[in-house]
Amino acid sequence: MTSGFTSLRHIALVSLVVDDYDRAKAFYCGSLGFECLSDQSLPDGKRWLVVRPKGQAATGLLLAQADGKEQTVTIGNQTGGRVGFFLYTDDFNADFRRMKDSGICFLEQPRHEIYGTVAVFEDLYGNKWDLLQPAAETA
């Protein structure tokens, strides 16, 4: 018996609720060094704003400006205070230094775990991310 879902390949986008399109774009494309794949105005005053790590076929972030109080209260806490986003690297030390120099707030010093080298940082809104170099790629 087949499930009928064999054509599903990958998660393309994850929505991230933000306070302002331009401010979010400046942070992700400036401080984090992501690339902007799309920034298109929609008829309802919203935008289709997609960013992702440069040069990667990685899952993108759809930066979605909060619409109303219910969405606004989720900004910075979409994952209940847990690390909810994982940014992989193949050169942890270089990316850690570059990100710190760009003003990224790391909540801890780098540590070595069985799964790789990792340090937790916060984005512009307080969402927690792992900067992670998987163990198989750790020098």
Side-chain angles (χ1 to χ4, degrees):
M1 179 178 213
T2 62
S3 66
F5 292 107
T6 57
S7 64
L8 298 178
R9 302 282 185 230
H10 67 277
I11 295 173
L13 296 174
V14 173
S15 288
L16 185 65
V17 180
V18 300
D19 66 345
D20 178 83
Y21 290 117
D22 293 326
R23 184 177 135 137
K25 182 179 178 181
F27 175 81
Y28 287 99
C29 294
S31 298
L32 277 186
F34 284 19
E35 63 185 336
C36 181
L37 298 179
S38 177
D39 188 354
Q40 300 176 37
S41 296
L42 301 174
D44 59 1
K46 295 180 183 177
R47 284 161 54 183
W48 185 258
L49 178 53
V50 178
V51 300
R52 73 172 180 207
K54 279 187 182 173
Q56 299 299 313
T59 300
L61 291 177
L62 174 64
L63 302 177
Q65 186 169 298
D67 184 11
K69 183 179 178 184
E70 187 174 327
Q71 291 180 17
T72 299
V73 299
T74 68
I75 295 172
N77 195 28
Q78 291 185 196
T79 60
R82 293 188 61 124
V83 171
F85 306 95
F86 302 82
L87 184 58
Y88 277 35
T89 178
D90 59 3
D91 190 344
F92 183 92
N93 293 326
D95 286 329
F96 179 76
R97 281 190 306 275
R98 180 189 57 76
M99 290 169 68
K100 284 192 69 128
D101 290 346
S102 293
I104 302 296
C105 176
F106 279 87
L107 302 178
E108 63 183 8
Q109 291 300 310
R111 66 185 195 284
H112 301 283
E113 301 289 349
I114 60 169
Y115 53 86
T117 302
V118 63
V120 176
F121 69 93
E122 288 183 333
D123 68 12
L124 176 63
Y125 303 102
N127 293 301
K128 292 180 182 167
W129 291 66
D130 270 358
L131 175 63
L132 175 63
Q133 182 171 352
E137 299 173 19
T138 303

